[in-house]
Each structure stands twice: as C-alpha cells, then as structure tokens.
Amino acid sequence: MAFSLPDLPYAKDAFGEIMSEETFNYHHGKHHNAYVGKTNDAVAGTDLEGKSLSEVIKAASASGNKGLFNNSAQVWNHTFFWHCLSPETQEIPANLKAKIEESFGSVEDFKEKFKNEAVGHFASGWAWLVLNGDKLEITSLHDADSPVAHDMKPLLTLDVWEHAYYLDYQNARPDYVGTILDKAINWEFVAQNLDGEGVSRADQG
Ligand code: ZN
C-alpha cells in the first residue's frame, strides 16, 4: 500500500501566531505532501513497494539511492515532528524531567543546549534529542538525514529548514526555536519515546 500524508494531530489554526495556519498549509500540505508523493513514485514497482517507511529509508541509505533516501526520510521526520508539537503548553512529565536533569543538570540547561544546537546548525536540517543507552543526547542532522538511518532512539525533533519558520519568523531562527521550545512541545509524546512507544506512529508515514 502506498504511503499517504498523515493528518495533523491538531487543527491547523491551533497555534495562533506561534505557528500559523499558513505555515501548516505550506509545510504539511505542500512540502510534507510532496515528499510522500515522491517516495511513492520511487518505490512503485520495486521490491520496496509495501515495505514500512523505516525499511525504505534504511534500504535507500544502504544502496546509496539519495533521491529516495531524502524523500522517505523527510516523510518520517515530518510525521515525527508534528507529534512533537502541542498547541497547549505542557508540563514535562516527571520521569522525563528526571532524565533531563540527570543528563543536562537542569531543564533550563537542556533548553539552552538544544537551542544552541538548533540555532547553530548550518543551513537545512533537524535538531534532535535522542536516547543513547541510558543517557539523553542532543545532536543535529543535515538536510533530510534521519535517526532512522543511524539506529538512534529519537525523543524530540525540531525542523530547522527555513520552510518551517520563514512565514512566521522570517530569518529569526532563534525566536522560532525559543518560542516552540518554551510553549509548544508535546512533552507527553517526548516522554512516550523513552520506551519507543511514540516512535512507531511516525513509521506509518
Ligand atoms: Zn519541514
């Protein structure tokens, strides 16, 4: 079965000025949708047809099929990203908070470090919070690259492609990153990813 564009887990106007309906119209309706269409075109009639999205990403990575890798990884990253956002400002669940404090000292130190990674990432890509063994780590990946291709366990991501923020924040990436981090993260989802529960949702494409 072909991949399809997943519905957003909230209304497109739910974030007000933090992330506008217009941004979702382009980012989800055009960009994400185009990655889905191109992935379907590339796997149609090949032995990857019918495989899961992460299987397609790994196969494309292993065979050096850059076009398929970029499009399929972008489908996965975007679906994961939508789940990382919440229109209501959430408290960080206690188990996740403890893990953050253990790994970074405090929630404020974690946010500062994540912000620096996201703002400092050169050009297009994604900032990630991942689980490595028992520890949380912050990293970033370029362009379409995805934790799926690196066997990382992703907990949280922030899209730092210009298409994610230009309509609402123009070139002010630090404002975008700071606002989303402080007001619009689905910390429940991030906490669910500690045991991999949330990640499987992104694999449905
Ligand atoms: Zn994007």
Side-chain angles (χ1 to χ4, degrees), residues 27-28 31-32 35 74 77-78 81-82 125-126 159-164 176:
H27 199 178
H28 176 259
H31 291 284
H32 191 175
Y35 297 129
Q74 283 291 75
N77 290 349
H78 279 92
F81 174 55
W82 305 134
W126 300 79
D159 187 342
V160 294
W161 284 58
E162 278 191 349
H163 68 216
Y176 157 71

Side-chain angles (χ1 to χ4, degrees), residues 40-193:
N40 283 332
D41 289 347
V43 300
T46 74
D47 57 3
L48 290 175
E49 200 170 357
K51 301 279 190 199
S52 75
L53 191 53
S54 56
E55 286 172 322
V56 170
I57 294 166
K58 286 175 183 172
S61 174
S63 69
N65 185 340
K66 280 215 150 155
L68 178 57
F69 178 78
N70 286 338
N71 284 295
S72 57
Q74 283 291 75
V75 174
W76 197 97
N77 290 349
H78 279 92
T79 302
F80 189 83
F81 174 55
W82 305 134
H83 285 292
C84 288
L85 301 177
S86 164
E88 290 91 34
T89 303
Q90 292 186 1
E91 294 290 320
I92 301 179
N95 63 332
L96 176 62
K97 191 162 180 257
K99 205 95 188 135
I100 286 174
E101 287 169 348
E102 190 188 307
S103 301
F104 303 106
S106 70
V107 170
E108 288 318 307
D109 287 339
F110 153 70
K111 283 188 177 175
E112 191 63 28
K113 204 170 173 211
F114 192 89
K115 194 175 168 181
N116 288 342
E117 184 78 32
V119 172
H121 180 88
F122 185 74
S124 295
W126 300 79
W128 295 93
L129 175 68
V130 299
L131 184 65
N132 185 0
D134 211 28
K135 279 240 158 187
L136 302 184
E137 287 177 2
I138 291 166
T139 188
S140 57
L141 294 171
H142 282 282
D143 301 321
D145 201 4
S146 171
V148 176
H150 303 281
D151 284 326
M152 291 174 176
K153 291 183 182 157
L155 305 186
L156 165 69
T157 194
L158 198 55
D159 187 342
V160 294
W161 284 58
E162 278 191 349
H163 68 216
Y165 60 88
Y166 212 83
L167 288 173
D168 299 323
Y169 300 85
Q170 284 74 55
N171 60 335
R173 192 192 286 186
D175 291 350
Y176 157 71
V177 172
T179 303
I180 299 297
L181 213 48
D182 283 337
K183 297 184 175 165
I185 297 296
N186 186 344
W187 295 111
E188 294 283 343
F189 175 74
V190 178
Q192 284 169 7
N193 290 324

